[in-house]
């Protein structure tokens, strides 16, 4: 008999040992399918939006290079160095972004294990963050004016869009935030800006860790529910095959949405019972006490009933069944409802 562990015990047993954080963020190999499956749809989310992110990054880099070239003065060596620096940083940024694009979209790389793809995406995210911070640093050294402001808006917008696009992969979000702060610390040195950035990074780490744990727990619960559902379906199938009973399901209008195949064959000689009204398939035994509360009334009012004797409405068969429905909610669900009584030659109920 299947008896799933309580949720807390199942989560405790499923926590990765040793490199807990690496396993939680999908950066280490895990032999459990339910954990591995957690990261596949998240990488797919990045794959869905990354072409747009790559396009935005390309436009921003082209804008930065164009504005730097427009404002360059051949007589000023510093301006030429700045233009070369922006071009080099933009090239590295786009190379890292293209690497993410290949990792999440090219079939040859999509076939890699999810933890390997997570590592690549995280490393590329940190590289992009470093280049964006460097670009922002170069821009701050430019003269005040519309060009400087335009450059700052372009880099800030690119940082925001890239961060949102990487959000599904929690490790990449941390890599991106860490790359921003580390590069700022290298360029600016110790000071208030770095202290504020570290404070923000700490908040990002705490929030991302919480989200990663929620993702992990939710996936384990989903896998357990799926496993329990598969076991339940298997038990129902075995129950029906042994002839111990049958199951039915109807919607709020009383239309049949599920009926065991054996009973369906006895009720409908041709066609399908699915979609037909339950009251069109069965007629009740008028000699049984309580039948004044008809089957249609119980179906429409969503009330429970038990052991109502019914037979096929479309034939003169002397085969009778006992039909039941326990109390249920708004959503119909399969219940042990049809139990064959066999042939009944007289009008006396014989269970």
């Amino acid at each position: 008999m299947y008896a799933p562990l309580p949720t807390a015990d199942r989560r405790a047993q499923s926590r990765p040992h040793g490199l807990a954080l690496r396993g939680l963020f999908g950066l280490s190999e895990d032999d459990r399918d339910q954990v591995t499956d957690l990261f596949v749809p998240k990488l797919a989310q990045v794959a869905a939006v990354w072409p747009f992110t790559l396009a935005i990054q390309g436009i921003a880099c082209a804008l930065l290079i164009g504005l730097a070239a427009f404002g360059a003065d051949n007589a000023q060596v510093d301006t030429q160095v700045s233009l070369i620096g922006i071009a080099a940083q933009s090239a590295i940024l786009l190379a890292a972004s293209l690497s993410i694009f290949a990792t999440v979209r090219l079939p040859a790389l999509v076939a890699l294990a999810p933890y390997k793809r997570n590592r690549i995406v995280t490393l590329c995210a940190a590289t992009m963050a470093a280049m964006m911070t460097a670009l922002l640093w170069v821009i701050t050294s430019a003269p005040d004016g519309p060009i400087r402001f335009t450059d700052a808006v372009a880099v800030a917008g690119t940082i925001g869009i890239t961060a949102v696009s990487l959000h599904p992969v929690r490790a990449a979000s941390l890599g991106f935030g860490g790359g921003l702060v580390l590069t700022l610390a290298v360029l600016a040195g110790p000071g208030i800006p770095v202290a504020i950035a570290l404070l923000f990074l700490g908040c990002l780490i705490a929030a991302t860790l919480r989200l990663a744990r929620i993702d992990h727990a939710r996936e384990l619960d989903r896998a357990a529910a799926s496993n329990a559902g598969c076991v339940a379906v298997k038990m129902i199938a075995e129950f029906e095959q042994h002839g111990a009973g049958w199951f039915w399901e109807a919607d709020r209008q009383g239309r049949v949405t599920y009926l065991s195949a054996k009973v369906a064959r006895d009720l409908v000689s041709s066609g399908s019972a699915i979609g037909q009204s339950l009251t069109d398939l069965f007629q009740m035994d008028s000699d049984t006490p309580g039948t004044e509360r008809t089957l249609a009334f119980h179906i429409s009012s969503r009330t429970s009933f038990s052991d109502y004797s019914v037979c096929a409405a479309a034939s003169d068969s002397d085969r009778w069944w006992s039909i039941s429905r326990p109390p249920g909610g708004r959503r119909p669900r399969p219940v042990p409802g049809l139990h064959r009584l066999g042939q009944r030659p007289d009008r006396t109920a014989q269970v």
Side-chain angles (χ1 to χ4, degrees), residues 285-308:
D285 183 4
S286 58
D287 293 341
T288 301
T291 53
E292 67 276 2
R293 305 188 71 180
T294 63
L295 186 61
F297 170 79
H298 285 294
I299 294 297
S300 62
S301 61
R302 312 294 292 173
T303 56
S304 61
F305 56 88
S306 62
D307 298 329
Y308 272 17

Side-chain angles (χ1 to χ4, degrees), residues 8-148:
D9 295 340
R10 186 172 63 251
R11 290 176 184 170
Q13 289 188 3
S14 302
R15 288 194 184 101
H17 301 285
L19 300 175
L21 289 179
R22 289 180 62 187
L24 193 63
F25 287 105
L27 297 176
S28 62
E29 186 175 7
D30 199 307
D31 57 358
R32 294 167 299 170
D33 292 338
Q34 64 268 33
V35 175
T36 302
D37 293 343
L38 167 64
F39 303 104
V40 174
K42 294 185 176 299
L43 288 165
Q45 292 179 42
V46 175
V49 301
W50 202 254
F52 305 100
T53 305
L54 181 59
I56 291 296
Q57 292 170 346
I59 293 172
C61 289
L63 179 63
L64 293 175
I65 295 173
L67 290 176
F70 177 77
D73 186 350
N74 294 331
Q76 297 180 1
V77 178
D78 291 342
T79 306
Q80 294 177 355
V81 172
S82 176
L83 175 59
I84 295 174
I86 290 176
Q89 292 157 4
S90 298
I92 297 174
L93 167 62
L94 294 178
S97 185
L98 284 171
S99 297
I100 291 181
F101 179 86
T103 302
V104 297
R105 293 187 71 93
L106 294 185
L109 294 179
V110 170
L112 291 175
Y115 79 94
K116 294 182 179 179
R117 298 166 64 201
N118 278 345
R119 290 178 179 178
I120 297 173
V121 172
T122 301
L123 179 61
C124 292
T127 302
M128 289 188 303
M131 293 302 102
M132 290 179 188
T133 307
L135 285 170
L136 197 59
W137 182 262
V138 171
I139 290 170
T140 58
S141 61
D144 291 336
I147 293 180
R148 179 179 178 181

Side-chain angles (χ1 to χ4, degrees), residues 88-249:
Q89 292 157 4
S90 298
I92 297 174
L93 167 62
L94 294 178
S97 185
L98 284 171
S99 297
I100 291 181
F101 179 86
T103 302
V104 297
R105 293 187 71 93
L106 294 185
L109 294 179
V110 170
L112 291 175
Y115 79 94
K116 294 182 179 179
R117 298 166 64 201
N118 278 345
R119 290 178 179 178
I120 297 173
V121 172
T122 301
L123 179 61
C124 292
T127 302
M128 289 188 303
M131 293 302 102
M132 290 179 188
T133 307
L135 285 170
L136 197 59
W137 182 262
V138 171
I139 290 170
T140 58
S141 61
D144 291 336
I147 293 180
R148 179 179 178 181
F149 182 74
T150 303
D151 288 343
V153 171
V155 175
T158 304
I159 291 175
I161 292 174
T162 303
V164 171
S165 301
L166 291 170
H167 175 70
V169 179
R170 310 302 185 192
S173 294
L174 289 183
F176 189 77
L180 290 173
V181 175
L182 180 60
T183 307
L184 177 63
V186 172
L187 294 174
I192 295 178
V194 175
I196 296 175
L198 287 173
L199 177 62
F200 289 157
L201 180 61
C203 294
L204 175 65
I205 292 174
T208 306
L209 183 60
R210 177 68 63 86
L211 290 174
R213 286 174 175 166
I214 292 174
D215 292 341
H216 193 268
R218 183 178 297 170
E219 182 63 22
L220 291 178
D221 290 343
R222 186 205 63 78
S226 177
N227 184 40
C230 292
V231 172
V233 170
K234 181 178 179 181
M235 292 176 65
I236 289 174
E238 292 178 352
F239 186 72
E240 292 177 332
Q241 290 174 2
H242 285 83
W246 295 272
F247 295 86
W248 63 275
E249 182 184 57

Side-chain angles (χ1 to χ4, degrees), residues 271-346:
S272 173
I274 305 301
Q276 297 192 38
S277 173
L278 197 65
T279 54
D280 292 339
L281 296 175
F282 294 107
Q283 66 178 5
M284 300 187 62
D285 183 4
S286 58
D287 293 341
T288 301
T291 53
E292 67 276 2
R293 305 188 71 180
T294 63
L295 186 61
F297 170 79
H298 285 294
I299 294 297
S300 62
S301 61
R302 312 294 292 173
T303 56
S304 61
F305 56 88
S306 62
D307 298 329
Y308 272 17
S309 298
V310 295
C311 68
S315 67
D316 297 329
S317 172
D318 56 358
R319 182 173 298 174
W320 291 78
W321 292 272
S322 172
I323 184 171
S324 304
R325 197 194 79 176
R330 294 179 62 86
R331 293 181 59 190
R333 53 189 175 89
V335 295
L338 289 174
H339 301 279
R340 179 176 175 180
L341 298 179
Q343 295 183 353
R344 197 181 61 175
D346 53 24

